[in-house]
Amino acid sequence: MIIQNIEYYLFICSECYGNFIDMEKKTTKLDETDLAILIEVRQNGRISNNELARRINLSQPAAHSRLKRLQLAGVIKGFTAQLDYEKLGYELICFFQT
């Protein structure tokens, strides 16, 4: 898999260590597999480890290990839910600034 035009460095906290971290730039070194994981998780934050592994062509333990490493490094900050406000009965959303 070739992924082009994506920056290979993301800003993270400086307490991380290892070859995964560029301590001078305080960034995370990502390879194509890491980027593929980020793309899949960004599209579906609730993807199962089994499905993630299948989509990126890795074993389940390897996919889980890489996902956990990205979380511990701070590259993945968390997972969120997107709400459908119309289905919740809100027809208009207003933003106020004070």
Side-chain angles (χ1 to χ4, degrees):
M1 172 187 292
I2 297 174
I3 301 173
Q4 298 176 351
N5 300 324
I6 298 178
E7 293 184 20
Y8 282 83
Y9 295 99
L10 298 174
F11 180 79
I12 63 159
C13 60
S14 61
E15 63 261 10
C16 298
Y17 59 90
N19 292 333
F20 188 57
I21 306 301
D22 184 338
M23 294 305 288
E24 290 180 15
K25 296 182 182 179
K26 294 184 174 60
T27 56
T28 304
K29 297 177 184 178
L30 302 177
D31 62 14
E32 289 184 3
T33 303
D34 292 329
L35 292 173
I37 290 171
L38 294 177
I39 289 168
E40 293 297 332
V41 171
R42 184 173 172 202
Q43 291 175 354
N44 181 3
R46 294 181 54 123
I47 191 169
S48 69
N49 188 49
N50 186 20
E51 181 64 16
L52 176 63
R54 188 187 67 75
R55 288 187 185 185
I56 62 173
N57 298 318
L58 282 182
S59 67
Q60 289 179 17
H64 177 73
S65 174
R66 282 179 172 257
L67 181 63
K68 194 56 134 177
R69 184 182 67 172
L70 291 167
Q71 290 174 316
L72 292 174
V75 175
I76 298 174
K77 291 184 178 182
F79 301 91
T80 61
Q82 295 179 345
L83 304 178
D84 186 334
Y85 293 103
E86 288 181 17
K87 290 185 179 180
L88 292 171
Y90 299 106
E91 297 178 12
L92 177 65
I93 298 174
C94 298
F95 297 95
F96 295 94
Q97 182 175 355
T98 59

